[in-house]
Coordinates of all heavy atoms in Angstrom, one line a residue:
Q174 N 184.0 179.0 -51.8 CA 183.7 177.7 -51.1 C 182.5 177.9 -50.1 O 182.6 177.6 -48.9 CB 185.0 177.2 -50.3 CG 186.1 176.8 -51.2 CD 185.7 175.5 -51.9 OE1 185.6 174.4 -51.3 NE2 185.6 175.6 -53.3
A175 N 181.4 178.4 -50.7 CA 180.2 178.6 -49.9 C 179.7 177.2 -49.5 O 179.4 176.4 -50.4 CB 179.2 179.4 -50.7
N176 N 179.6 176.9 -48.2 CA 179.1 175.6 -47.8 C 177.6 175.6 -47.5 O 176.9 174.6 -47.2 CB 179.8 175.1 -46.6 CG 179.5 175.8 -45.3 OD1 179.0 176.9 -45.3 ND2 179.7 175.2 -44.2
S177 N 176.9 176.8 -47.6 CA 175.5 177.0 -47.3 C 174.9 178.0 -48.3 O 175.6 179.0 -48.6 CB 175.3 177.5 -45.9 OG 176.0 176.7 -45.0
I178 N 173.7 177.8 -48.7 CA 173.0 178.8 -49.5 C 171.6 179.1 -48.9 O 171.1 178.3 -48.2 CB 172.9 178.4 -51.0 CG1 172.0 177.1 -51.1 CG2 174.2 178.1 -51.6 CD1 171.6 176.8 -52.6
V179 N 171.2 180.3 -49.2 CA 169.8 180.7 -48.9 C 169.1 181.0 -50.2 O 169.6 181.9 -50.9 CB 169.7 181.9 -47.9 CG1 168.3 182.2 -47.5 CG2 170.5 181.6 -46.7
A180 N 168.1 180.2 -50.6 CA 167.6 180.3 -51.9 C 166.1 179.9 -52.1 O 165.6 179.2 -51.2 CB 168.4 179.5 -52.9
V181 N 165.5 180.3 -53.1 CA 164.2 179.8 -53.5 C 164.4 178.4 -54.2 O 165.2 178.3 -55.0 CB 163.5 180.8 -54.5 CG1 162.1 180.3 -54.9 CG2 163.4 182.2 -53.8
P182 N 163.6 177.4 -53.7 CA 163.9 176.1 -54.3 C 163.8 176.0 -55.8 O 164.7 175.4 -56.4 CB 162.7 175.2 -53.7 CG 162.4 175.9 -52.4 CD 162.7 177.4 -52.6
S183 N 162.9 176.7 -56.5 CA 162.8 176.6 -57.9 C 164.1 177.2 -58.6 O 164.5 176.8 -59.7 CB 161.6 177.2 -58.5 OG 161.3 178.5 -58.0
F184 N 164.7 178.1 -57.9 CA 166.0 178.7 -58.4 C 167.1 177.6 -58.3 O 168.0 177.5 -59.1 CB 166.4 180.0 -57.7 CG 167.7 180.5 -58.3 CD1 167.8 180.9 -59.6 CD2 168.8 180.6 -57.5 CE1 169.0 181.4 -60.2 CE2 170.0 181.1 -58.0 CZ 170.1 181.5 -59.4
M185 N 167.0 176.8 -57.2 CA 168.0 175.7 -57.1 C 167.9 174.8 -58.3 O 168.9 174.2 -58.8 CB 167.8 174.9 -55.8 CG 168.2 175.7 -54.6 SD 168.0 174.7 -53.1 CE 169.4 173.6 -53.2
L186 N 166.7 174.6 -58.9 CA 166.6 173.8 -60.1 C 167.3 174.4 -61.3 O 167.9 173.7 -62.1 CB 165.1 173.6 -60.5 CG 164.2 172.7 -59.6 CD1 162.8 172.7 -60.1 CD2 164.8 171.3 -59.5
K187 N 167.3 175.7 -61.3 CA 168.0 176.4 -62.4 C 169.6 176.2 -62.2 O 170.3 176.1 -63.2 CB 167.8 178.0 -62.3 CG 166.3 178.3 -62.5 CD 165.9 178.5 -63.9 CE 164.5 178.9 -64.1 NZ 163.8 178.1 -65.1
L188 N 170.0 176.2 -60.9 CA 171.4 176.0 -60.7 C 171.8 174.6 -61.1 O 172.9 174.4 -61.7 CB 171.7 176.2 -59.2 CG 171.6 177.6 -58.6 CD1 171.8 177.6 -57.1 CD2 172.7 178.5 -59.3
I189 N 170.9 173.6 -60.8 CA 171.2 172.2 -61.2 C 171.3 172.1 -62.7 O 172.2 171.5 -63.3 CB 170.1 171.3 -60.6 CG1 170.2 171.3 -59.1 CG2 170.1 169.9 -61.2 CD1 169.0 170.6 -58.4
E190 N 170.3 172.7 -63.4 CA 170.2 172.7 -64.8 C 171.5 173.2 -65.5 O 172.1 172.7 -66.4 CB 169.0 173.5 -65.3 CG 168.5 173.2 -66.7 CD 167.3 174.1 -67.0 OE1 166.4 174.2 -66.1 OE2 167.3 174.7 -68.0
W191 N 171.9 174.4 -64.9 CA 173.1 175.0 -65.4 C 174.3 174.1 -65.3 O 175.2 174.0 -66.2 CB 173.3 176.4 -64.7 CG 174.4 177.3 -65.4 CD1 174.1 178.2 -66.3 CD2 175.8 177.3 -65.1 NE1 175.3 178.9 -66.6 CE2 176.3 178.3 -66.0 CE3 176.6 176.5 -64.3 CZ2 177.7 178.5 -66.0 CZ3 178.0 176.8 -64.4 CH2 178.5 177.8 -65.2
A192 N 174.4 173.5 -64.1 CA 175.6 172.6 -63.8 C 175.6 171.4 -64.7 O 176.6 171.0 -65.2 CB 175.6 172.2 -62.3
H193 N 174.4 170.9 -64.9 CA 174.3 169.7 -65.8 C 174.7 170.0 -67.3 O 175.4 169.2 -67.9 CB 172.8 169.2 -65.8 CG 172.6 168.3 -64.6 ND1 171.3 167.8 -64.3 CD2 173.4 167.9 -63.7 CE1 171.4 167.1 -63.2 NE2 172.6 167.1 -62.8
E194 N 174.2 171.2 -67.7 CA 174.6 171.6 -69.1 C 176.1 171.6 -69.3 O 176.6 171.5 -70.4 CB 173.9 172.9 -69.5 CG 172.4 172.7 -69.8 CD 171.7 174.1 -69.8 OE1 172.4 175.1 -69.7 OE2 170.5 174.1 -69.8
R195 N 176.8 171.9 -68.3 CA 178.3 172.1 -68.4 C 179.0 170.8 -67.8 O 180.2 170.9 -67.6 CB 178.7 173.3 -67.6 CG 178.5 174.5 -68.5 CD 178.1 175.8 -67.7 NE 177.6 176.8 -68.6 CZ 176.3 176.9 -69.0 NH1 175.4 176.1 -68.5 NH2 175.9 177.8 -69.8
G196 N 178.3 169.8 -67.6 CA 178.9 168.5 -67.1 C 179.5 168.6 -65.8 O 180.4 167.9 -65.4
T197 N 179.1 169.6 -64.9 CA 179.7 169.7 -63.6 C 179.1 168.6 -62.7 O 177.9 168.4 -62.7 CB 179.3 171.1 -63.0 OG1 179.6 172.1 -64.0 CG2 180.1 171.4 -61.7
D198 N 179.9 168.0 -61.9 CA 179.4 167.0 -61.0 C 179.1 167.7 -59.6 O 179.9 168.2 -58.9 CB 180.5 165.9 -60.7 CG 180.0 164.8 -59.8 OD1 178.8 164.9 -59.4 OD2 180.8 163.9 -59.5
L199 N 177.8 167.7 -59.4 CA 177.3 168.4 -58.2 C 177.7 167.8 -56.9 O 177.7 168.4 -55.9 CB 175.7 168.5 -58.3 CG 175.2 169.5 -59.3 CD1 173.7 169.2 -59.6 CD2 175.4 170.9 -58.8
K200 N 178.1 166.5 -56.9 CA 178.5 165.9 -55.7 C 179.8 166.5 -55.1 O 180.0 166.4 -53.9 CB 178.7 164.4 -55.9 CG 177.4 163.6 -56.1 CD 177.5 162.1 -56.1 CE 176.1 161.5 -56.3 NZ 175.6 161.8 -57.7
H201 N 180.6 167.1 -56.0 CA 181.8 167.7 -55.5 C 181.6 169.2 -55.2 O 182.6 169.9 -54.9 CB 182.9 167.5 -56.5 CG 183.2 166.0 -56.7 ND1 183.6 165.2 -55.7 CD2 183.1 165.2 -57.8 CE1 183.7 164.0 -56.2 NE2 183.4 164.0 -57.4
A202 N 180.4 169.8 -55.3 CA 180.2 171.2 -55.0 C 180.4 171.4 -53.5 O 180.1 170.5 -52.7 CB 178.8 171.6 -55.5
P203 N 180.9 172.5 -53.1 CA 181.1 172.7 -51.6 C 179.9 172.9 -50.8 O 179.9 172.7 -49.6 CB 182.0 174.0 -51.6 CG 181.8 174.7 -52.9 CD 181.4 173.6 -53.9
V204 N 178.7 173.1 -51.4 CA 177.5 173.4 -50.7 C 177.0 172.1 -50.0 O 176.9 171.1 -50.6 CB 176.4 173.9 -51.6 CG1 175.1 174.2 -50.9 CG2 176.8 175.2 -52.4
Q205 N 176.7 172.3 -48.7 CA 176.2 171.2 -47.9 C 174.8 171.3 -47.4 O 174.1 170.4 -47.1 CB 177.2 170.9 -46.7 CG 178.5 170.3 -47.0 CD 179.6 170.6 -46.0 OE1 179.3 171.0 -44.9 NE2 180.8 170.4 -46.4
K206 N 174.4 172.6 -47.3 CA 173.0 172.8 -46.8 C 172.4 174.0 -47.5 O 173.1 174.9 -47.9 CB 172.9 172.9 -45.3 CG 173.7 174.0 -44.7 CD 173.5 174.0 -43.2 CE 174.3 175.1 -42.4 NZ 175.7 174.9 -42.4
A207 N 171.1 173.9 -47.7 CA 170.3 175.0 -48.3 C 169.1 175.4 -47.4 O 168.3 174.5 -47.0 CB 169.8 174.5 -49.7
I208 N 169.0 176.7 -47.1 CA 167.9 177.2 -46.4 C 166.9 177.7 -47.5 O 167.2 178.5 -48.2 CB 168.3 178.4 -45.5 CG1 169.5 178.1 -44.7 CG2 167.1 178.9 -44.6 CD1 169.4 176.9 -43.7
C209 N 165.8 177.0 -47.5 CA 164.9 177.3 -48.6 C 163.7 178.2 -48.2 O 163.1 177.9 -47.2 CB 164.4 175.9 -49.2 SG 165.7 174.9 -49.8
I210 N 163.4 179.1 -49.1 CA 162.4 180.1 -48.7 C 161.3 180.2 -49.8 O 161.6 179.9 -51.0 CB 163.0 181.5 -48.5 CG1 163.6 182.1 -49.8 CG2 164.1 181.5 -47.4 CD1 163.9 183.5 -49.7
G211 N 160.1 180.6 -49.4 CA 159.1 180.9 -50.4 C 158.3 179.7 -51.0 O 157.2 179.9 -51.4
E212 N 158.8 178.5 -51.0 CA 158.1 177.4 -51.6 C 158.2 176.2 -50.6 O 159.3 176.0 -50.0 CB 158.7 177.0 -52.9 CG 158.4 178.0 -54.0 CD 159.3 177.8 -55.3 OE1 160.5 177.5 -55.1 OE2 158.8 177.9 -56.4
S213 N 157.2 175.4 -50.5 CA 157.3 174.2 -49.7 C 158.1 173.2 -50.4 O 158.1 173.0 -51.6 CB 155.9 173.6 -49.5 OG 155.1 174.4 -48.6
L214 N 158.9 172.4 -49.6 CA 159.7 171.3 -50.0 C 159.1 170.0 -49.7 O 159.6 169.0 -50.1 CB 161.1 171.4 -49.3 CG 162.0 172.5 -49.7 CD1 163.2 172.4 -48.8 CD2 162.5 172.2 -51.2
R215 N 158.2 170.1 -48.7 CA 157.6 168.8 -48.2 C 156.1 168.7 -48.4 O 155.5 169.7 -48.5 CB 158.0 168.7 -46.7 CG 159.4 168.7 -46.5 CD 159.8 168.5 -45.0 NE 161.1 168.9 -44.8 CZ 162.2 168.1 -45.0 NH1 162.0 166.9 -45.5 NH2 163.4 168.6 -44.8
D216 N 155.6 167.5 -48.3 CA 154.2 167.3 -48.3 C 153.7 167.2 -46.9 O 154.5 167.3 -45.9 CB 153.8 166.1 -49.2 CG 154.4 164.8 -48.7 OD1 154.8 164.7 -47.5 OD2 154.6 163.9 -49.5
A217 N 152.4 166.9 -46.7 CA 151.8 166.9 -45.4 C 152.5 165.9 -44.4 O 152.4 166.1 -43.2 CB 150.3 166.7 -45.5
D218 N 153.1 164.8 -45.0 CA 153.7 163.8 -44.1 C 155.2 164.1 -43.9 O 155.9 163.3 -43.4 CB 153.6 162.4 -44.8 CG 152.2 162.1 -45.1 OD1 151.3 162.4 -44.2 OD2 151.9 161.4 -46.1
F219 N 155.6 165.3 -44.3 CA 157.0 165.8 -44.1 C 158.0 165.1 -45.0 O 159.2 165.2 -44.9 CB 157.5 165.7 -42.7 CG 156.7 166.6 -41.8 CD1 155.8 166.1 -40.8 CD2 156.8 168.0 -41.9 CE1 155.1 166.9 -40.0 CE2 156.0 168.8 -41.1 CZ 155.2 168.3 -40.1
E220 N 157.5 164.3 -46.0 CA 158.3 163.7 -47.0 C 158.6 164.8 -48.0 O 157.8 165.7 -48.2 CB 157.7 162.5 -47.7 CG 157.3 161.3 -46.8 CD 158.5 160.7 -46.2 OE1 159.6 160.7 -46.9 OE2 158.5 160.1 -45.1
L221 N 159.8 164.7 -48.7 CA 160.0 165.7 -49.8 C 158.9 165.6 -50.8 O 158.6 164.5 -51.3 CB 161.4 165.5 -50.4 CG 162.6 165.8 -49.5 CD1 163.9 165.4 -50.3 CD2 162.7 167.3 -49.1
N222 N 158.4 166.8 -51.3 CA 157.4 166.8 -52.4 C 158.2 166.7 -53.7 O 159.4 166.5 -53.7 CB 156.5 168.0 -52.3 CG 157.3 169.3 -52.4 OD1 158.4 169.3 -52.8 ND2 156.7 170.4 -52.0
A223 N 157.4 166.8 -54.8 CA 158.1 166.6 -56.1 C 159.2 167.6 -56.3 O 160.3 167.2 -56.8 CB 157.1 166.8 -57.2
L224 N 159.0 168.8 -55.9 CA 160.1 169.9 -56.0 C 161.3 169.5 -55.2 O 162.4 169.5 -55.6 CB 159.5 171.2 -55.6 CG 160.4 172.4 -55.6 CD1 161.0 172.7 -57.0 CD2 159.7 173.7 -55.1
G225 N 161.0 169.1 -53.9 CA 162.1 168.8 -53.0 C 162.9 167.6 -53.5 O 164.1 167.5 -53.4
Q226 N 162.2 166.6 -54.0 CA 162.8 165.4 -54.5 C 163.6 165.6 -55.7 O 164.8 165.1 -55.8 CB 161.7 164.4 -54.9 CG 161.5 163.3 -53.9 CD 160.3 162.5 -54.2 OE1 159.8 162.4 -55.3 NE2 159.7 161.9 -53.2
K227 N 163.1 166.5 -56.6 CA 163.8 166.8 -57.8 C 165.1 167.5 -57.5 O 166.2 167.2 -58.1 CB 162.9 167.8 -58.6 CG 162.8 167.6 -60.1 CD 161.6 168.4 -60.6 CE 161.7 168.8 -62.0 NZ 160.6 169.6 -62.4
I228 N 165.1 168.3 -56.5 CA 166.4 169.0 -56.1 C 167.3 167.9 -55.4 O 168.5 167.8 -55.8 CB 166.1 170.1 -55.1 CG1 165.3 171.2 -55.8 CG2 167.4 170.7 -54.5 CD1 164.8 172.3 -54.8
Y229 N 166.8 167.2 -54.5 CA 167.6 166.3 -53.7 C 168.2 165.2 -54.5 O 169.4 164.8 -54.3 CB 166.8 165.8 -52.5 CG 167.7 165.0 -51.5 CD1 168.5 165.8 -50.6 CD2 167.8 163.6 -51.5 CE1 169.3 165.1 -49.7 CE2 168.6 163.0 -50.6 CZ 169.4 163.7 -49.7 OH 170.2 163.1 -48.9
N230 N 167.4 164.7 -55.5 CA 168.0 163.6 -56.3 C 169.2 164.0 -57.1 O 170.1 163.2 -57.4 CB 166.9 163.1 -57.3 CG 165.8 162.3 -56.5 OD1 166.0 162.0 -55.3 ND2 164.7 162.1 -57.2
E231 N 169.2 165.3 -57.6 CA 170.3 165.8 -58.4 C 171.4 166.4 -57.6 O 172.5 166.4 -58.0 CB 169.7 166.8 -59.4 CG 168.6 166.4 -60.3 CD 169.1 165.3 -61.3 OE1 170.2 165.3 -61.6 OE2 168.2 164.5 -61.7
W232 N 171.0 166.9 -56.4 CA 172.0 167.7 -55.7 C 171.7 167.4 -54.2 O 171.0 168.1 -53.5 CB 171.8 169.2 -56.0 CG 172.9 170.1 -55.5 CD1 174.1 169.7 -55.0 CD2 172.8 171.5 -55.5 NE1 174.8 170.9 -54.7 CE2 174.1 172.0 -55.0 CE3 171.8 172.5 -55.8 CZ2 174.4 173.3 -54.8 CZ3 172.2 173.8 -55.6 CH2 173.4 174.2 -55.2
P233 N 172.3 166.3 -53.7 CA 172.0 165.8 -52.3 C 172.6 166.7 -51.2 O 173.4 166.3 -50.5 CB 172.6 164.4 -52.3 CG 173.6 164.4 -53.4 CD 173.3 165.5 -54.4
V234 N 172.0 167.9 -51.1 CA 172.4 168.8 -50.0 C 171.3 168.7 -48.9 O 170.2 168.3 -49.2 CB 172.6 170.2 -50.4 CG1 173.8 170.4 -51.3 CG2 171.3 170.8 -51.0
K235 N 171.6 169.0 -47.7 CA 170.6 169.0 -46.6 C 169.7 170.2 -46.9 O 170.1 171.3 -47.0 CB 171.3 169.1 -45.3 CG 170.4 169.0 -44.1 CD 170.4 167.7 -43.5 CE 169.4 167.7 -42.3 NZ 168.8 166.4 -42.0
L236 N 168.4 169.9 -46.9 CA 167.4 171.0 -47.2 C 166.6 171.4 -46.0 O 166.1 170.5 -45.3 CB 166.4 170.5 -48.3 CG 167.0 170.1 -49.7 CD1 166.0 169.4 -50.5 CD2 167.5 171.3 -50.4
Y237 N 166.5 172.7 -45.7 CA 165.7 173.1 -44.6 C 164.6 174.1 -45.1 O 164.9 175.1 -45.8 CB 166.6 173.9 -43.6 CG 167.8 173.1 -43.0 CD1 169.0 173.0 -43.7 CD2 167.6 172.5 -41.8 CE1 170.0 172.2 -43.2 CE2 168.7 171.8 -41.3 CZ 169.8 171.7 -42.0 OH 170.9 170.9 -41.4
S238 N 163.4 173.8 -44.7 CA 162.3 174.7 -45.1 C 162.1 175.8 -44.1 O 162.4 175.6 -42.9 CB 161.0 173.9 -45.1 OG 160.7 173.5 -46.4
T239 N 161.7 176.9 -44.6 CA 161.3 178.0 -43.6 C 160.0 178.6 -44.0 O 159.5 178.4 -45.1 CB 162.3 179.2 -43.7 OG1 162.2 179.8 -45.0 CG2 163.7 178.7 -43.4
Y240 N 159.3 179.2 -43.0 CA 158.0 179.8 -43.3 C 158.0 181.1 -42.5 O 158.4 181.2 -41.3 CB 156.9 178.9 -42.8 CG 155.5 179.6 -42.7 CD1 154.8 179.9 -43.8 CD2 155.0 180.1 -41.5 CE1 153.6 180.6 -43.8 CE2 153.8 180.7 -41.4 CZ 153.1 181.0 -42.6 OH 151.9 181.7 -42.5
A241 N 157.7 182.2 -43.2 CA 157.7 183.5 -42.5 C 156.9 184.5 -43.4 O 156.5 184.2 -44.5 CB 159.1 184.0 -42.3
S242 N 156.6 185.6 -42.8 CA 156.0 186.7 -43.6 C 156.4 188.0 -43.0 O 156.8 188.1 -41.8 CB 154.5 186.6 -43.6 OG 153.9 187.0 -42.4
T243 N 156.3 189.1 -43.8 CA 156.8 190.4 -43.4 C 156.0 190.8 -42.1 O 156.6 191.3 -41.2 CB 156.5 191.4 -44.5 OG1 157.1 190.9 -45.7 CG2 157.1 192.7 -44.2
E244 N 154.7 190.6 -42.2 CA 153.8 191.1 -41.0 C 154.3 190.4 -39.7 O 154.2 191.1 -38.7 CB 152.4 190.7 -41.3 CG 151.8 191.4 -42.5 CD 151.9 190.6 -43.8 OE1 152.9 189.9 -44.0 OE2 150.9 190.6 -44.6
M245 N 154.6 189.1 -39.7 CA 154.9 188.5 -38.5 C 156.3 188.7 -38.0 O 156.6 188.5 -36.8 CB 154.6 187.0 -38.6 CG 155.4 186.2 -39.6 SD 155.1 184.4 -39.4 CE 153.6 184.2 -40.3
Q246 N 157.2 189.2 -38.9 CA 158.6 189.6 -38.5 C 159.3 188.4 -37.7 O 160.2 188.7 -36.8 CB 158.6 190.8 -37.6 CG 157.9 192.0 -38.3 CD 158.0 193.3 -37.5 OE1 159.0 193.6 -36.9 NE2 156.9 194.0 -37.4
T247 N 158.9 187.2 -38.0 CA 159.4 186.1 -37.3 C 159.4 184.8 -38.2 O 158.4 184.7 -39.0 CB 158.5 185.7 -36.0 OG1 158.2 187.0 -35.3 CG2 159.1 184.7 -35.1
A248 N 160.4 184.0 -38.1 CA 160.4 182.8 -39.0 C 160.1 181.5 -38.2 O 160.5 181.4 -37.0 CB 161.8 182.7 -39.6
F249 N 159.6 180.6 -38.9 CA 159.4 179.2 -38.4 C 160.4 178.4 -39.3 O 160.2 178.3 -40.5 CB 158.0 178.7 -38.6 CG 157.0 179.3 -37.8 CD1 156.5 180.6 -38.0 CD2 156.5 178.6 -36.7 CE1 155.5 181.2 -37.2 CE2 155.5 179.2 -35.8 CZ 155.0 180.5 -36.1
T250 N 161.4 177.8 -38.7 CA 162.5 177.2 -39.4 C 162.6 175.7 -39.0 O 162.6 175.4 -37.8 CB 163.8 178.0 -39.3 OG1 163.6 179.3 -39.7 CG2 164.9 177.4 -40.1
E251 N 162.8 174.9 -40.0 CA 163.1 173.5 -39.7 C 164.4 173.2 -39.0 O 165.4 173.9 -39.4 CB 163.0 172.6 -41.0 CG 161.7 172.3 -41.4 CD 161.8 171.4 -42.7 OE1 162.9 171.1 -43.2 OE2 160.7 171.1 -43.2
C252 N 164.4 172.3 -38.1 CA 165.7 171.8 -37.6 C 166.1 170.6 -38.5 O 165.5 170.4 -39.5 CB 165.6 171.3 -36.1 SG 164.5 169.9 -36.0

Side-chain angles (χ1 to χ4, degrees):
Q174 294 290 296
N176 72 339
S177 312
I178 63 171
V179 183
V181 178
S183 50
F184 182 62
M185 288 182 74
L186 289 179
K187 301 273 182 224
L188 291 175
I189 291 168
E190 197 179 316
W191 193 92
H193 279 173
E194 281 165 12
R195 280 147 194 88
T197 310
D198 185 0
L199 285 164
K200 288 190 181 66
H201 300 299
V204 179
Q205 287 156 16
K206 58 180 182 287
I208 311 301
C209 295
I210 64 167
E212 292 165 317
S213 285
L214 286 173
R215 299 183 197 280
D216 58 26
D218 301 324
F219 298 110
E220 298 295 332
L221 289 177
N222 61 17
L224 178 62
Q226 259 169 22
K227 222 163 155 180
I228 295 170
Y229 190 78
N230 290 346
E231 302 294 331
W232 193 9
V234 295
K235 182 102 182 154
L236 301 168
Y237 299 85
S238 262
T239 64
Y240 167 75
S242 72
T243 308
E244 297 93 322
M245 63 171 82
Q246 305 182 43
T247 312
F249 290 77
T250 303
E251 276 183 1
C252 66

